[in-house]
Amino acid sequence: MSRQSFKICFCFRRIFKLRALEPPEEVKVLFDQYSQNGIMSLDDLRGFLVEFQGEYSATREDAQAIFNSLKHLNIFSRRGLHLEAFFRYLLGDLNGPLSAGVHHDMTQPLAHYFMFTGHNSYLTGNQLSSDSSVEPIIKALGKGVRVIELDLWPGSKKDAVEVRHGGTLTNPVDLLVCLKAIKDNAFQASEYPVVITFEDHLPENLQAQVAEMVTKTFGDMLYRPETDQLQEFPSPESLKKKVMISTKPPKESKTSSKKEQWNGEAAASKSDIETSDKDEVDDGENLQEDEEEMTVPEYMHLISIHAGKPKGGLQNWLSIDERTVRRLSLSEQELENATRRHGTDIVR
């Protein structure tokens, strides 16, 4: 465990404890199976690669390369790998999630597959004080990550969109720079679709900016569903070299409904005051109303995977209309609890 401190409001320091990720029970059992007296030797590691990972051509040299990649860590032992070193290998670059080729049927609906997913994909370091940059995005796509998460917030002047981890000391990066980096690097490691998930904290006018940026940046690469009531997701095969947007659909504009009410009152009183100046004002208001109403539909049309939890508890989430598809976000603990009683519904 390590500690980092940060100045809060320039007045006092707050200390945060950074806990090391502990191997889950499944990894511990697996390590015990392929180790002796708490040490995994070179031959033990090769046995793991061949028997468990299915890397049938793995050699002692391949196992040695893994050993060499961990030697700079304090957790490495000359006799072999301790549990922590083995766990570090499992999470490292030498144990990538993508094999050299695809050996599965990729013509089923997208929801039938696990996807290699990033979280806060723009952060260069910790989630409290690090910088935001396109470099982690480029690196992730190069490893085959297929889901990139971007948190969208208004800029300091409220007239631009920036990507940052809200409520922290992290520095922002421009959304447009992130979108261009995704476009340039999306399909170097894999042709299968890239999903961009927006955590949207934007007002309606900035959502219109996002719609314009996304449309201009990706062009024909952008997958736009013909309806927002998809009954089934397309397949990864049919979505090759396509970019998909996933976020919560925006709520109906309150400002638009207020203007509709105001215009209705103005129209009712028009018989009392009939002037050419008044007509020009009404026409201007109606034009502005139409422009505001257009912002939400354009942003809505970008969304190919609708996200969000229905109101209520688990029963409501699982009683989603089966004729439409959506993305349901659950924490690991929520999912674990749900599968104990509602495994069949979760799979459905």
Side-chain angles (χ1 to χ4, degrees):
M1 182 188 302
S2 61
R3 295 171 179 262
Q4 290 190 20
S5 62
F6 304 94
K7 284 188 176 180
I8 307 297
C9 300
F10 305 100
C11 299
F12 61 92
R13 285 184 174 271
R14 183 174 179 183
I15 296 176
F16 296 88
K17 295 180 180 179
L18 303 180
R19 294 183 179 274
L21 184 63
E22 183 176 338
E25 189 62 30
E26 295 90 336
V27 172
K28 294 177 181 178
V29 171
L30 188 62
F31 179 79
D32 290 340
Q33 183 180 344
Y34 286 93
S35 65
Q36 302 176 43
N37 300 320
I39 295 292
M40 181 180 287
S41 68
L42 203 63
D43 289 329
D44 292 334
L45 178 58
R46 181 180 175 275
F48 165 76
L49 294 175
V50 172
E51 297 171 12
F52 191 85
Q53 297 287 71
E55 300 178 22
Y56 302 113
S57 60
T59 63
R60 283 176 59 89
E61 286 72 23
D62 295 325
Q64 185 63 56
I66 295 172
F67 271 38
N68 294 340
S69 72
L70 299 168
K71 280 185 176 179
H72 67 286
L73 302 175
N74 293 330
I75 56 177
F76 181 78
S77 168
R78 289 184 179 181
R79 295 185 296 138
L81 303 183
H82 292 295
L83 172 61
E84 189 175 349
F86 175 67
F87 185 48
R88 187 73 65 90
Y89 151 67
L90 292 180
L91 299 179
D93 293 343
L94 292 182
N95 186 42
L98 296 181
S99 59
V102 176
H103 308 289
H104 300 283
D105 174 12
M106 303 302 287
T107 62
Q108 301 302 310
L110 193 65
H112 290 207
Y113 303 86
F114 289 101
M115 299 185 72
F116 189 12
T117 303
H119 174 66
N120 292 345
S121 308
Y122 49 88
L123 289 180
T124 57
N126 68 67
Q127 299 193 50
L128 295 174
S129 62
S130 64
D131 291 331
S132 301
S133 168
V134 298
E135 293 305 319
I137 296 174
I138 295 172
K139 186 176 180 181
L141 291 169
K143 292 181 178 179
V145 170
R146 298 292 86 190
V147 182
I148 299 293
E149 182 191 38
L150 302 177
D151 297 272
L152 307 185
W153 293 84
S156 57
K157 296 183 179 180
K158 310 299 182 184
D159 60 351
V161 182
E162 61 186 28
V163 176
R164 58 182 167 86
H165 196 201
T168 68
L169 303 177
T170 56
N171 293 324
V173 61
D174 289 340
L175 171 62
L176 185 58
V177 177
C178 295
L179 296 179
K180 288 181 177 178
I182 294 172
K183 177 185 178 182
D184 293 341
N185 298 275
F187 305 111
Q188 292 185 4
S190 170
E191 292 186 335
Y192 290 110
V194 167
V195 178
I196 306 175
T197 60
F198 289 150
E199 187 174 305
D200 182 356
H201 304 275
L202 300 175
E204 189 176 312
N205 65 310
L206 293 184
Q207 288 176 343
Q209 278 193 32
V210 173
E212 184 177 359
M213 280 190 280
V214 169
T215 301
K216 287 185 177 179
T217 300
F218 295 110
D220 292 338
M221 293 170 64
L222 186 65
Y223 172 72
R224 291 174 178 262
E226 296 179 359
T227 174
D228 61 355
Q229 299 294 318
L230 282 177
Q231 296 183 10
E232 193 172 64
F233 286 121
S235 70
E237 188 67 29
S238 68
L239 291 168
K240 277 186 172 180
K241 293 196 172 182
K242 289 292 185 181
V243 173
M244 308 175 75
I245 303 298
S246 178
T247 188
K248 292 181 181 179
K251 295 179 181 180
E252 185 179 354
S253 168
K254 294 181 179 179
T255 55
S256 295
S257 61
K258 287 181 180 178
K259 284 190 177 294
E260 288 175 4
Q261 182 180 2
W262 186 91
N263 283 336
E265 293 171 354
S269 62
K270 193 173 182 180
S271 58
D272 299 330
I273 306 175
E274 191 74 28
T275 66
S276 59
D277 289 340
K278 178 68 166 57
D279 290 341
E280 291 176 4
V281 171
D282 281 342
D283 289 341
E285 288 290 346
N286 287 329
L287 178 60
Q288 186 175 355
E289 174 192 327
D290 291 341
E291 289 176 349
E292 289 198 2
E293 288 177 344
M294 285 301 293
T295 59
V296 170
E298 183 58 29
Y299 186 74
M300 278 279 292
H301 192 43
L302 297 177
I303 306 172
S304 52
I305 304 177
H306 288 223
K309 289 181 182 177
K311 294 181 179 179
L314 182 62
Q315 289 297 335
N316 284 4
W317 306 344
L318 297 178
S319 61
I320 296 172
D321 188 347
E322 294 186 38
R323 293 170 297 177
T324 60
V325 292
R326 68 192 303 170
R327 173 168 63 87
L328 176 62
S329 296
L330 299 176
S331 70
E332 292 183 1
Q333 190 60 55
E334 285 176 320
L335 179 59
E336 184 177 338
N337 293 340
T339 54
R340 289 171 180 165
R341 295 185 179 181
H342 307 282
T344 302
D345 291 325
I346 290 291
V347 172
R348 173 180 57 78

